[in-house]
Amino acid sequence: LGQAFAKSTFVHAGAAASVIDFYLENRPDIIMHPRIGGTIQDELGKIMEKEKQDIRYRILYVRLLLELAKQNNVLYSEAEQELKALTKIAPKRQEIYYLLAFIHGSEGRVEEAIEVAERAVVLDSKVARAHYVLGVALALSGNPEVQKKAEEELVKAEELNPSLDTFYSSDLSTLIKIY
């Protein structure tokens, strides 16, 4: 089984992606270690090279870059370029727009964050996370009138998914800060 796992690109890629996803979600502190984060970034790059047709690995790579960008702001630019390329490949993939909105908001480009988040809602208005992302982008505006709309979007997100079980733990932390 060990040899089969090592030889199977598909299995290896999926298993490695699951491990990276777990650490991004549950232990980002480990990824922030320069040597570990760099190694994970290199390995994910190799997976993306082997699995070029699967954008899930590219999205995971962007999520990794965004975590590492907390220590190196230059990585926001790399992540944004990757996401813009992905919008051409998978223009209906909401997660791409969530991540773009996050980058724009993190860089203080609030209007762009709102615009991208609105695009995610238009793609599928029944998805709670789309309303959450738009609510967060609107909350960044600082405009009292827009703040009301932010609250409405966050309420809509909770109505669509009362348990919030499809949200990342970082999403929940952001919600707590907003409220």
Side-chain angles (χ1 to χ4, degrees), residues 19-167:
V19 169
I20 294 167
D21 188 53
F22 172 82
Y23 282 107
L24 278 171
E25 182 62 20
N26 299 296
R27 292 295 310 272
D29 57 309
I30 290 175
I31 289 172
M32 298 305 281
H33 185 279
R35 200 172 82 213
I36 295 171
T39 300
I40 291 172
Q41 189 175 358
D42 292 344
E43 288 302 313
L44 194 47
K46 291 175 190 173
I47 291 169
M48 288 181 351
E49 185 62 32
K50 290 178 184 175
E51 302 291 332
K52 291 178 183 178
Q53 74 286 358
D54 195 334
I55 68 164
R56 293 175 301 169
Y57 301 119
R58 291 175 68 179
I59 290 172
L60 184 60
Y61 181 71
V62 168
R63 288 182 51 220
L64 174 64
L65 289 176
L66 293 178
E67 193 60 43
L68 295 172
K70 292 175 181 176
Q71 292 181 340
N72 180 358
N73 287 344
V74 174
L75 296 176
Y76 281 122
S77 179
E78 183 179 343
E80 183 175 1
Q81 294 309 311
E82 182 69 28
L83 289 168
K84 285 182 177 180
L86 287 174
T87 61
K88 291 174 176 65
I89 297 167
K92 294 182 180 182
R93 183 83 179 244
Q94 283 180 305
E95 189 170 7
I96 295 168
Y97 300 102
Y98 303 157
L99 295 169
L100 272 171
F102 174 81
I103 291 170
H104 295 324
S106 296
E107 294 183 331
R109 296 158 41 200
V110 177
E111 290 303 317
E112 289 176 77
I114 292 169
E115 182 181 313
V116 170
E118 286 174 336
R119 194 172 315 150
V121 172
V122 167
L123 286 171
D124 190 345
S125 63
K126 295 180 198 118
V127 176
R129 192 147 191 267
H131 291 279
Y132 159 78
V133 171
L134 179 55
V136 170
L138 291 165
L140 293 172
S141 75
N143 178 330
E145 291 176 27
V146 178
Q147 297 284 340
K148 178 74 173 150
K149 175 96 169 99
E151 187 177 320
E152 291 169 7
E153 291 297 330
L154 295 172
V155 167
K156 179 73 172 175
E158 188 175 5
E159 287 171 356
L160 288 167
N161 183 7
S163 66
L164 304 176
D165 60 353
T166 59
F167 287 45

